[in-house]
Amino acid sequence: MSMKVLGETLDIHGGGLDLQFPAPRERTGQSESYTGKPFARVWMHNGLLKMGTAKMAGSVGNVVNIADLLQRHHPRRCGSCS
């Protein structure tokens, strides 16, 4: 799917820290053996977002999208921001 939409080499590939291994090696192996080209130029992984004590995840059902969050909270009026 990514090759059809984005080409044979991605500029940036990212994901959460919980998805670092083995998923990237599997994708890299499959893609590079098929195309003979690098799968991604840059790999970036972010920390995990939490809702309370649970990881934010669609499979858990505790996801809040940015548009809804910004309707409830002004981005420059954060209680912990200075």
Side-chain angles (χ1 to χ4, degrees):
M1 178 181 79
S2 63
M3 281 192 285
K4 183 176 181 179
V5 176
L6 303 170
E8 292 180 336
T9 299
L10 304 177
D11 289 328
I12 300 172
H13 183 282
L17 288 174
D18 58 332
L19 302 175
Q20 280 186 296
F21 180 83
R25 288 190 182 174
E26 291 172 1
R27 281 187 217 115
T28 300
Q30 293 168 356
S31 176
E32 291 182 2
S33 65
Y34 180 74
T35 66
K37 297 179 180 177
F39 177 64
R41 290 182 181 92
V42 176
W43 291 80
M44 296 180 4
H45 288 87
N46 58 287
L48 301 177
L49 296 176
K50 290 191 170 191
M51 293 291 284
T53 59
K55 176 182 91 168
M56 184 185 291
S59 60
V60 176
N62 63 355
V63 174
V64 177
N65 70 46
I66 297 292
D68 292 342
L69 186 68
L70 291 174
Q71 285 182 357
R72 288 186 256 154
H73 304 281
H74 189 282
R76 296 189 188 236
R77 292 189 204 134
C78 169
S80 62
C81 300
S82 50

